[in-house]
Amino acid sequence: MPFAITAEQKQTAFWIAVWLAFLLLLVSLGPILTPFLAAAILAYVLNPGVDRLQRLHYKRFYVPRPLAVLVVVVLFFLAITALVLIVVPVLQKEIPLLQAQIPQFLSKANEFLAPKLRDLGIRVRLDGTGIKRMLSQQMATSGDEIWSTVLASARIGGTAVLGWLATVVLIPVVLFYLLLDWHPMLARIAGAVPRRWVGRTVGMAQEVDTLLAQYLRGQLLVMLVLATYYSVALAIAGFEVALPVGIITGLLVFIPYLGFGLGLMLALIAALLQFADWSGVIAVAVIYGCGQVIEGFFLTPRLVGERIGLNPLAVIFALLAFGQLFGFVGVLLALPASAVLMVAFKHLRRHYLSSSFYNT
């Protein structure tokens, strides 16, 4: 007897194909969706604050939703602006000092490396005069290629700058309207789920919401503890920029590797500029080495990793995969999005193990 495909199975196959095509479209539109994804995750984070502010009332006066959204969004971007104002003065102070020290660094590098390179038959000066001569010779021999490369880089860089500006402008606008329409939007999404799956879908959504709430609380605790640790440790070591560098390192730890790398770079520059010997560099190595141990073996596993259940290999893969699909914002969203996918995979695995396909 030939296998007969029912009308319900045809409908199921059709809608699965439609959703797969929709997901493929979203992946192909990854760069365009960056501000919308960033605004969506920010709306999820900020919506509890909007709801709490909306519940406040004095006598018979209640805070309307648009006003609550506006207040929360303004406060959030004021906090971002404050963080930028902490970073910029440090860079403005250290970059000119670093530029003044570059000739001295080059001279020391030339004294150390030039004799060893000469023994290998390579005659080159690594001081300012030698580097200028090499650049002049290179520009004289391949000037056309250099100019074509510079023009191409300028075009690419200009496009990237315009893209970043569009993202920066779009995120607050999209965030405002998402927060304003948050609860009706969730209701519309729930209403679009097939009725036979709505119970299971709502249960998964609640599980994901609990998991993400635990992740955000844990990440916030990690940021506060590390900001305090780096600020106090650098201050004890005698760094003049201990407070801003410590705050930067701690608060940017939610960006994997970038926050630690930026803080380490600023601390090393401060050590080279402030201390005449290697004591500052050694202090930075000890402080940031201990900070990585504390974060990697105690804080993140206990406060974040155990809450979302991701092992280190899964974290690395998530960072690379989401960075490839959605760029820098994808790196930011990698861990919470992986937590969501982990819940879906757990339910899919449970369904697979109980299916007749697996058991027969």
Side-chain angles (χ1 to χ4, degrees):
M1 181 178 178
F3 179 74
I5 300 177
T6 63
E8 183 178 355
Q9 290 174 332
K10 289 181 180 180
Q11 278 196 352
T12 302
F14 170 76
W15 287 113
I16 289 176
V18 169
W19 280 107
L20 288 176
F22 179 69
L23 291 176
L24 182 61
L25 177 63
L26 290 181
V27 171
S28 62
L29 294 176
I32 299 176
L33 292 177
T34 296
F36 296 91
L37 288 172
I41 194 69
L42 289 176
Y44 174 80
V45 174
L46 298 177
N47 181 68
V50 175
D51 290 343
R52 189 171 291 121
L53 184 59
Q54 195 177 3
R55 287 194 295 267
L56 295 178
H57 63 277
Y58 177 74
K59 294 183 179 179
R60 293 186 177 180
F61 175 75
Y62 290 85
V63 179
R65 179 84 180 179
L67 179 60
V69 170
L70 181 63
V71 170
V72 170
V73 171
V74 169
L75 289 177
F76 173 75
F77 283 100
L78 284 177
I80 298 296
T81 304
L83 181 61
V84 173
L85 293 178
I86 291 174
V87 176
V88 170
V90 176
L91 296 177
Q92 288 179 337
K93 179 180 180 180
E94 292 190 350
I95 288 178
L97 295 176
L98 181 63
Q99 290 176 343
Q101 294 290 332
I102 286 177
Q104 182 180 353
F105 294 156
L106 291 176
S107 178
K108 290 181 179 180
N110 184 64
E111 293 175 2
F112 179 75
L113 292 176
K116 296 179 172 56
L117 294 175
R118 197 177 300 115
D119 294 338
L120 298 174
I122 303 174
R123 297 185 178 274
V124 63
R125 291 180 60 183
L126 297 177
D127 56 3
T129 305
I131 291 176
K132 287 179 181 179
R133 185 182 300 114
M134 285 190 295
L135 289 176
S136 300
Q137 293 174 353
Q138 183 66 27
M139 291 182 68
T141 56
S142 57
D144 295 336
E145 296 179 1
I146 290 175
W147 278 112
S148 61
T149 304
V150 169
L151 291 175
S153 299
R155 285 194 294 268
I156 296 173
T159 304
V161 169
L162 290 177
W164 273 100
L165 288 176
T167 299
V168 170
V169 172
L170 274 176
I171 286 178
V173 177
V174 177
L175 175 62
F176 178 83
Y177 284 107
L178 281 177
L179 285 173
L180 195 62
D181 198 39
W182 186 256
H183 294 294
M185 181 181 64
L186 293 183
R188 288 194 295 269
I189 293 174
V193 177
R195 296 299 90 187
R196 62 179 180 274
W197 295 342
V198 67
R200 186 180 302 171
T201 304
V202 170
M204 289 179 60
Q206 292 173 348
E207 187 176 348
V208 168
D209 182 66
T210 302
L211 195 65
L212 288 180
Q214 292 175 346
Y215 166 79
L216 293 173
R217 285 195 294 266
Q219 190 65 65
L220 182 61
L221 287 175
V222 171
M223 291 162 57
L224 293 177
V225 171
L226 288 178
T228 303
Y229 163 75
Y230 284 114
S231 299
V232 172
L234 291 172
I236 293 175
F239 282 80
E240 297 176 356
V241 292
L243 184 61
V245 172
I247 291 175
I248 291 168
T249 308
L251 295 186
L252 292 183
V253 74
F254 73 94
I255 308 175
Y257 308 119
L258 179 61
F260 175 81
L262 178 60
L264 178 61
M265 182 185 68
L266 293 175
L268 286 175
I269 293 174
L272 293 173
L273 296 177
Q274 184 178 339
F275 297 89
D277 53 11
W278 291 96
S279 60
V281 176
I282 295 173
V284 170
V286 172
I287 291 171
Y288 277 78
C290 293
Q292 277 295 93
V293 171
I294 293 172
E295 178 191 353
F297 291 94
F298 180 75
L299 292 178
T300 300
R302 290 179 177 272
L303 298 179
V304 179
E306 292 181 356
R307 295 171 186 258
I308 62 176
L310 290 178
N311 60 48
L313 286 179
V315 171
I316 294 173
F317 178 80
L319 292 173
L320 294 175
F322 280 89
Q324 175 67 28
L325 291 175
F326 304 111
F328 178 71
V329 175
V331 176
L332 302 183
L333 305 180
L335 290 183
S338 299
V340 174
L341 293 177
M342 187 186 64
V343 171
F345 178 76
K346 183 175 68 174
H347 284 265
L348 182 63
R349 181 176 181 272
R350 185 185 306 160
H351 180 72
Y352 169 70
L353 293 178
S354 61
S355 66
S356 59
F357 177 81
Y358 175 79
N359 290 288
T360 57

